Amino acid sequence: MRRLPPLHALRAFEAAARHLHFARAAAELHLTPTAISHQIRQLEEILEVKLFHRYPRPIRLSAEGAALYPVLRESFDRMASAIAGITAPDSDRPLTVSVTVAFASFWLMRRLPALRSQTGLNLKVEADNRPVDLSGSDVDFAVRYAAQAEPEGEWLPLFEDKLIPLCAPDLLRRNPVNADADILRLPLIEYRWSGGAEASPSWHRWSRAAGLGGAVLEITQHFSEEIHAMDSALAGQGVVLASSALATSAVAAGQLVHLSRTELPGRTFWAVSRGDHPRFAEVERFASWARASG
């Protein structure tokens, strides 16, 4: 007969050891941090050992905790795989991806037919500008825009980005551009940037990069969302500094014109999922396809 501590206490310890953070473990298991702490203390009392060094912060595993954690991690992974193998095939449902509204509209939606035919993947697209909690939702993976991968989750690079000046062909015909200074005389469009001022697609940053730091700038239109700024440019209302990756299809179709070789560095698009996700191979398939399709 096996003599094991309560399963809920083992599960709480495994999640806390994986995150090295009680609050994140609590969010994953839909508990409170107090409940996680209580269950781990219960486990420590049963085993008569300390599993964590709680002070000084951040928490870290004790020698006993470090010995127990990989055994539990492997055991829970094997249980999850076995359960997945005897239940209804999860691959019958679409793979749910969380993306920003702009990424959905300008990049993903235009490529969905090719994605299905070339990879066999069927995506359910959740478009929202708020980051989704991958451990506490039905979302399988997210497309994120960041300078570098973060410690939590598996981050698969898709493609690097840059910020470029774009306008509609009709506006360019009415206002020929022969030099970067001519661009700054066009109606300028900006939008609110959530990624930090040091990397924002602002016309002041672009003018400095073009060697025109002393130019007088008049921003004609401000938007809260990138998608609306790009729609405004498509409608011929001005020139926008926007993601080269998102604008690729519109430029190829002649809907937008890339006006200058002066660019601002962007960030990287990533596909992000849990490393232990049962459909992680499909996320990898999406990432490989996205890198190839650009």
Side-chain angles (χ1 to χ4, degrees):
M1 178 178 177
R2 294 188 181 92
R3 295 177 60 85
L4 294 173
L7 182 61
H8 67 268
L10 293 172
R11 192 169 178 229
F13 165 74
E14 190 275 337
R18 179 160 30 89
H19 291 288
L20 287 177
H21 200 285
F22 284 8
R24 291 172 188 156
E28 176 182 323
L29 300 180
H30 304 289
L31 297 170
T32 66
T34 300
I36 290 289
S37 181
H38 174 75
Q39 291 178 14
I40 291 173
R41 288 194 184 280
Q42 179 188 19
L43 182 59
E44 288 176 326
E45 290 172 2
I46 292 171
L47 300 178
E48 297 182 345
V49 297
K50 287 291 184 184
L51 297 172
F52 289 99
H53 296 298
R54 292 168 172 80
Y55 300 100
R57 302 288 186 181
I59 65 169
R60 62 193 190 281
L61 289 166
S62 68
E64 292 80 4
L68 179 60
Y69 167 58
V71 177
L72 286 182
R73 180 188 60 197
E74 181 181 355
S75 298
F76 282 121
D77 285 346
R78 292 179 64 183
M79 282 191 286
S81 297
I83 290 169
I86 63 173
T87 54
D90 192 42
S91 58
D92 289 346
R93 69 168 178 83
L95 197 66
T96 302
V97 57
S98 171
V99 297
T100 64
V101 177
F103 189 89
S105 179
F106 284 97
W107 196 91
L108 185 56
M109 301 304 293
R110 302 170 186 228
R111 291 169 170 81
L112 279 177
L115 172 67
R116 294 191 195 100
S117 64
Q118 294 171 15
T119 69
L121 293 174
N122 183 20
L123 293 188
K124 177 183 177 182
V125 180
E126 297 282 350
D128 195 323
N129 291 335
R130 295 170 296 182
V132 68
D133 179 6
L134 293 173
S135 65
S137 70
D138 294 330
V139 171
D140 297 301
F141 74 104
V143 173
R144 300 243 167 99
Y145 192 64
Q148 58 188 13
E150 296 179 6
E152 290 188 32
E154 290 292 330
W155 290 61
L156 306 174
L158 303 181
F159 32 78
E160 294 182 356
D161 194 28
K162 52 185 178 287
L163 303 167
I164 59 176
L166 300 158
C167 77
D170 285 346
L171 180 64
L172 186 60
R173 279 192 285 270
R174 298 194 304 270
N175 304 273
V177 169
N178 298 309
D180 284 349
D182 296 332
I183 296 174
L184 298 180
R185 288 190 279 270
L186 296 174
L188 303 179
I189 301 168
E190 281 195 347
Y191 55 93
R192 187 169 62 226
W193 180 253
S194 60
E198 77 287 350
S200 67
S202 79
W203 283 108
H204 286 89
R205 287 188 64 228
W206 185 88
S207 66
R208 289 195 299 271
L212 303 168
V216 176
L217 305 182
E218 182 179 351
I219 308 302
T220 305
Q221 184 66 60
H222 296 267
F223 290 96
S224 63
E225 303 296 337
E226 181 180 12
I227 185 173
H228 299 142
M230 293 183 71
D231 282 340
S232 178
L234 283 165
Q237 296 172 5
V239 56
V240 66
L241 276 173
S243 160
S244 62
L246 299 192
T248 298
S249 294
V251 171
Q255 298 170 311
L256 290 173
V257 179
H258 184 182
L259 297 176
S260 170
R261 293 184 179 180
T262 301
E263 304 163 342
L264 293 178
R267 298 187 174 180
T268 300
F269 286 92
W270 308 77
V272 186
S273 184
R274 305 192 320 270
D276 61 351
H277 195 289
R279 300 180 69 181
F280 186 68
E282 292 173 78
V283 178
E284 291 182 304
R285 196 190 320 165
F286 170 85
S288 296
W289 173 85
R291 281 192 291 269
S293 62

